[in-house]
């Protein structure tokens, strides 16, 4: 990083402007009907492209990606259930959640009993439409409010799903920013969910803004941002980039970043990766509630990046995790469920972690026998006898004591219980007067 | 194991039949006067032989076994203390605990004051006869209820112990069941205590039943069951089998298995042996109170198996441990103190651990890059969007994620907090479709 | 050690005699005006010399010691502030804390506003004089009670500091006791503070007595005692003895050993040095409150011994640590603040640790297969069947079980939760009968 970390961090702290920008992006993306393939994804990516110049990849139906195959492309024009009087009692145009994603086309009249086999509701949440998919099993279905299901009384209904499922492409977006090093930090956000805000328009909006933010800076690491469908998207990317994953030094799956829950970091499979330590440091020092979770192989796309054949250092940041809140995967995950201030908080924590990753070097004390005389360099109070040293003086002592080539600045921050930025400033002062030099590893 | 672990485990679950069988065996063995040598041990082993075809070993008095020597054989016919009127105030025929084990013969009249030097009571438990021994120091003595001691008022008493202590043999029983592997699991239960039920007719009964139970199955490991006197028995066996102990992969000392206390597992000296992990898994998942104790060199025959020159992976299962309950080593450790249901519970936990040991293999995910597509193999729900995965699906994900050749199924069960049997079933399903293969170590 | 540890420990237990001796020494040293150089240090060391034949070192001003330079020598004859009427309102002769240590000479009249820039008080403790220094920045100043500052009303004051700051020497004392081995245990106590008792006349008194106490014994380790100014003293010693520090096997910085606070041990930078374990054992087994602190690079001279270029196994013993009590570095740290019984308690803990270091060897069980028969050697009760073993018998079992060449006696004491002295006695008994031999490392 060719500018001080203070400028970097301070430039990121624009809660209202950035919070609103992300929320506005979510508002634009909300009505679009996305799935793991199709024009909804393309439209979504083209809107993100206005913010960051992402490259669009189109992967052909039938492409083998490890144990999987890129599926047919699905697009939908309209869908409804009409009652005996011809009234649309379920209407895709009102909410794209009404149709089970990847439903095969149908157009027929059928008795209510028959129809019910294709209907999904949440009895405990009668006002909400659930979100359901059937990507890999040929089927069709409707999702509706449970109270609307109870109101169905006619003997026969007309159902229509005007959709195509045919050979085409799976689409994803990628933005790469070259850094000083070939070593990469990768961010992944899934772009396949239809009209739901927290899962996962929030993830898209936050990492799109992170990508745009980083563009203003010359950075040590290279950065890669992936906007792709869940599961098949990450698997496809890994299959196509298998020979280059050794460049990935840190990775993050970003999702559910706009709700009111506390920030929740799920550790990588390794459990002690640098990104795990960096997020734990930032969350512990945030002054806000947080949760750290051990890795488990259920969740989002960290499942693929952390599969044993890759075992990449990918963590995951959410606020409320998948499956942990009632609005999850329902129509209640709407524009009211996410807030600009939560989006900003998530954004700022990610930028703070990037700041650590960029600056977390390991140094060697150049005067390791006894303490160097800091006072004569203007780095230590000249009057003795006071009760305690200040934070900055403590930081200097910790850095000098632990900089034996084995401890990074983040290690020193954790051990000293001082904030990374205090340790970083101390290291700069010691570098400036030659008491510290970068460790040769 | 050539049958599924489900059949094995389900065959073991016969609480009433097995509980009663063990209790009945205890009832038959209870009256016999055992010691570390002599006909009481032989009679005990011959009754166990009706259940399991154990081999009887007779080791000559004077045989050197490491730092010890097999002692003379002790047998007793009768013993009493008669008061001035000729009445037996202490009578061996009423309880064989009345005579200090290995008492030398005596027949004389003596004043009460002199006699008292040879009497043992428990003042705090005036209704109970204590259990005392003097194997390696030539002496004689009587144990009696404290209230009976207080009632002794005559000036002179006649004491008689009609016992032999002469060259002969030390006897122990051994049952070996050949498995697919030469690797062995060894069970040890001491058979030297006279009329006390928990310590240790309970141990004898439980492992005799385990031995009989295993006979119906073809197993991976070989199994060895030792019914031998405490200390000198295990030392003798180790001395005579010193060159074969490298076959022992897992071992258990079994004792005090019929009382109402919670199951208590004492870890091996190694502390992280596979049997330590297996017992901890079973006890934690039992839904009942339990206790796990660190190794300490005081206790039963694990002292010998875990001596530093052997350091074998021997744990110990008891309910209430030695010395931890008032009835311990007294006449109150009687047929009322042990119960069929506790015996069965102990038996079933041991069989559950055997089930783990038999099936706890380490596998290699054959499709380690990204998750394999479980849905197309019928192993994963086809409808997406639900709140959470089921236990079986979670098990599959955990097994695939951790089967990198480093984690056994038990490790995976512990890490995932899922029951071993769920993990085992998941592994079978993945083996069946070729996604898993045994790791070559 | 050629005498049993029992004699050593018992000789040390003379609470009243030793407590009073240390307190009396503090009373004699209290009035002397010490600084990091000068005649106050010389006088202090000459009084200590009456107790222990320390060698006095004089290091020339200007000597380079690593990154530092030995400063000019400072001596002070008199100092005061006189008010308009000529009355001494602040008088060095009343308390040597009144003058900022290393103040440059001054003699002039000045207005109150100007004078105030040179005055130091503690507003929260208006009755106490603070302790301040200005060793490495040329300046002068007075310390006074805040209530006296508030009483200054005259327009002009006369200030006088009759001090010299010129080329000379820095003085420190050293006592070395040769042991059987060249391996050393080093004690360091700073001798540079003026009239304050806990910090650090208490440290000087305690380690002077430890030094004198050890003189009566032939010991395994060599012992070195350093009485030197803080920071520059330890740095100078390390610079001048850089090539011999590999002999240092254990080290302790001793300070603040007379107050009523609990014993507080600060671990070495290594965190698991033998002295760390020994102090933890002694404090845990003391039956009194105690505190164990992780290493941090702020504090006393452990900062130098534990700098990364040396990383010596130096811990630190205090009662209340630096900066943790209001009397710290004020005139309230006086003869009432320290007590003979606290001094003795500190002394006795240090001697107890020395006892461990002297006797903490690693042995090899000579009969490692099964337990040896302790009964035939008179080391184990001959009657069996009792509820529990005694402490001594348990110690024997633990020593035999863990003496595989990997565990020292202290390790065994910690693991068994038995006192080191019980383990030590057990080891002597086992050595006597040939069951144990010193491990060859």
């Amino acid at each position: 990083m060719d500018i001080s970390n203070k400028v970097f961090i301070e430039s990121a702290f624009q809660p209202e402007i950035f919070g609103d920008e992300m929320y506005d992006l979510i508002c634009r993306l909300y009505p679009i009907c996305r799935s793991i393939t199709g024009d909804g994804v393309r439209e979504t990516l083209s809107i993100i492209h206005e913010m960051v110049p992402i490259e669009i990849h189109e992967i052909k139906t039938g492409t083998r990606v490890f144990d999987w195959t890129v599926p047919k492309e699905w697009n939908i024009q309209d869908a409804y259930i009409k009652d005996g009087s011809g009234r649309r009692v379920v209407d895709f145009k009102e909410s794209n959640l009404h149709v089970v994603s990847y439903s095969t086309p149908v157009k027929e009249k059928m008795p209510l009993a028959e129809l019910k086999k294709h209907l999904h509701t949440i009895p405990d949440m009668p006002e909400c439409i659930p979100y359901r998919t059937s990507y890999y099993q040929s089927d069709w279905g409707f999702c509706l409010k449970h109270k609307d299901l109870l109101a169905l009384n006619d003997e026969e209904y007309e159902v229509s799903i005007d959709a195509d499922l045919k050979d085409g492409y799976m689409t994803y977006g990628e933005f790469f920013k070259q850094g000083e090093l070939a070593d990469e930090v990768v961010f992944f956000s899934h772009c396949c969910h239809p009209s739901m805000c927290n899962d996962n328009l929030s993830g898209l909006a936050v990492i799109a803004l992170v990508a745009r933010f980083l563009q203003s800076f010359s950075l040590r690491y290279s950065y890669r941002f992936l906007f792709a469908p869940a599961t098949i998207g990450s698997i496809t990317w890994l299959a196509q980039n298998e020979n280059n994953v050794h460049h990935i030094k840190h990775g993050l799956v970003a999702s559910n970043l706009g709700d009111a829950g506390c920030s929740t970091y799920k550790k990588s499979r390794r459990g002690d990766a640098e990104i795990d330590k960096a997020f734990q440091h930032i969350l512990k020092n945030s002054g806000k509630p947080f949760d750290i979770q051990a890795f488990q192989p259920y969740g989002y796309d960290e499942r693929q990046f952390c599969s044993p054949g890759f075992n990449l250092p990918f963590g995951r940041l959410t606020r409320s995790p998948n499956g942990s809140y009632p609005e999850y995967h329902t129509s209640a995950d709407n524009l009211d469920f996410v807030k600009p201030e939560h989006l900003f908080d998530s954004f700022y924590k990610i930028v703070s972690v990037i700041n650590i990753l960029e600056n977390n070097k390991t140094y060697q004390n150049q005067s390791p026998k006894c303490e160097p005389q800091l006072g004569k360099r203007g780095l230590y109070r000249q009057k003795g006898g006071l009760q305690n040293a200040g934070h900055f003086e403590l930081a200097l002592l910790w850095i000098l004591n632990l900089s034996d080539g084995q401890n990074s600045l983040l290690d020193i921050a954790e051990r000293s219980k001082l904030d990374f930025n205090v340790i970083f400033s101390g290291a700069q002062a010691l570098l400036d007067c030659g008491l510290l030099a970068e460790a040769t590893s």
Side-chain angles (χ1 to χ4, degrees), chain A residues 48 64 77 94 109 142 179 184 196 223 268 325 365 373 417:
Chain A
I48 292 172
R64 292 298 311 261
Q77 287 72 44
E94 282 180 4
K109 293 197 176 179
F142 285 88
E184 291 183 14
M196 288 175 295
Y223 287 81
S268 73
Y325 52 98
N365 178 342
Q373 193 178 359
K417 298 193 173 68

Side-chain angles (χ1 to χ4, degrees), chain A residues 8-24 206 209 212-213 288 339-349 351:
Chain A
F8 182 74
I9 278 292
E10 286 178 1
S11 311
F13 195 71
Q14 304 192 43
E16 299 199 6
I17 296 171
F18 288 163
D20 287 349
E21 272 192 284
M22 290 184 281
Y23 189 79
D24 292 348
V206 171
L209 187 69
R212 197 195 64 186
F213 177 75
K288 298 178 188 168
K339 296 270 182 296
E341 60 263 37
H342 306 319
L343 295 163
F344 177 76
D345 182 74
S346 301
F347 163 83
Y348 191 67
K349 281 166 178 163
V351 171

Side-chain angles (χ1 to χ4, degrees), chain A residues 73 75 89 93 101 106 208 227 230 238 290 293 335 363 376 378 385 399 404 431:
Chain A
E73 182 175 330
N75 283 293
V89 294
K93 294 196 192 307
S101 196
V106 62
F227 306 84
L238 280 163
F290 66 92
Q293 299 188 335
L335 288 166
Y363 297 98
K376 72 184 182 192
I399 297 163
D404 54 4
L431 279 163

Side-chain angles (χ1 to χ4, degrees), chain A residues 262-264 278-292 319 345-346 348-349 352 414 419-420:
Chain A
C262 74
S263 287
T264 303
F279 263 107
Q280 289 179 82
H281 183 79
I282 288 301
L283 295 187
K284 279 194 285 180
N285 286 274
S286 68
K288 298 178 188 168
F290 66 92
D291 193 21
I292 305 288
R319 300 183 78 86
D345 182 74
S346 301
Y348 191 67
K349 281 166 178 163
S352 300
E414 280 297 293
D419 187 87
F420 179 83

Side-chain angles (χ1 to χ4, degrees), chain A residues 10 26 35 45 49 67 70 75 88 93 99 124 180 190 194 203 220 244 247 253 262 322 331-332 382 393 424-425:
Chain A
E10 286 178 1
I26 288 173
S35 183
L45 294 176
H49 190 277
D67 191 52
V70 172
N75 283 293
R88 289 189 170 204
K93 294 196 192 307
V99 177
D124 289 346
E180 183 190 325
H190 60 271
R220 190 157 69 104
N244 295 314
H247 288 305
V253 169
C262 74
N322 52 311
S331 55
Q382 294 288 358
E393 287 170 343
F424 175 77
S425 308

